[in-house]
Amino acid sequence: MAIPFDPHELDPEEYGETRTTLSTDHESAIERVREVCLDAGFGIPVEFSPSEMLNEKIDADRDPYYVLGACNPRMADRALDATDKRIGGLFPCNMIVWEASLGEQVVYHVSIMKIARLLGLPVDDEEMDAIIADTGEMVDAVFAELADGAE
């Protein structure tokens, strides 16, 4: 199946790619991201370690990799309405923490709201624009706070 656009031609801003690097151990980075997300108004209803699961199930020998499923209920509720409920296929808004090297953790996020826009999910473009702006401010606040501990 062909994608109707060349993903390599997209500017990371179009899908809300954000990243920073923290100089700390993996567990401390996870705790810091969780704390900063909570302070910015996100809850963390889902957390898991794909690396632990893959290492256990198939001896993948993966370095530490952790997913914090962040969610702001008001934004999620608005987004469900603005996309005729289809954005639920992208929930939650994930914050990823992976160990790039010992003592160096990458924190990564892409905007599911912007991805929903690229996929043509919104049925209410004006509301989706507002949601993208509101969630963007929240994510910017998270990464600004994390930058205090970044390289």
Side-chain angles (χ1 to χ4, degrees):
M1 179 175 158
I3 299 174
F5 56 87
D6 183 350
H8 298 98
E9 292 180 7
L10 292 176
D11 181 325
E13 177 63 29
E14 291 181 79
Y15 51 89
E17 183 179 60
T18 311
R19 75 170 63 206
T20 192
T21 303
L22 304 178
S23 296
T24 188
D25 65 274
H26 191 67
E27 292 301 319
S28 295
I30 292 167
E31 290 302 317
R32 178 78 176 130
V33 172
R34 184 184 298 112
E35 171 188 303
V36 171
C37 283
L38 292 171
D39 288 347
F42 290 104
I44 309 290
V46 178
E47 296 184 46
F48 64 102
S49 172
S51 59
E52 286 181 14
M53 186 265 305
L54 293 170
N55 291 345
E56 178 183 312
K57 300 289 184 186
I58 61 170
D59 287 327
D61 195 30
R62 293 257 172 209
D63 290 333
Y65 188 99
Y66 200 82
V67 178
L68 292 116
C71 182
N72 177 282
R74 290 191 194 287
M75 296 299 161
D77 186 53
R78 289 172 57 196
L80 284 168
D81 288 341
T83 63
D84 201 22
K85 300 182 181 79
R86 296 178 294 158
I87 198 168
L90 299 174
F91 281 170
C93 299
N94 292 322
M95 297 286 180
I96 312 301
V97 181
W98 73 77
E99 187 171 79
S101 63
L102 196 58
E104 182 180 87
Q105 312 304 316
V106 174
V107 181
Y108 180 82
H109 171 79
V110 294
S111 168
I112 67 167
M113 303 305 177
K114 287 186 176 186
I115 290 171
R117 161 79 70 219
L118 289 172
L119 295 174
L121 297 183
V123 294
D124 184 337
D125 288 331
E126 189 174 306
E127 175 64 359
M128 198 66 195
D129 289 344
I131 294 166
I132 288 170
D134 292 345
T135 57
E137 287 177 14
M138 294 172 70
V139 170
D140 288 348
V142 167
F143 278 87
E145 182 69 24
L146 290 174
D148 287 342
E151 292 185 327

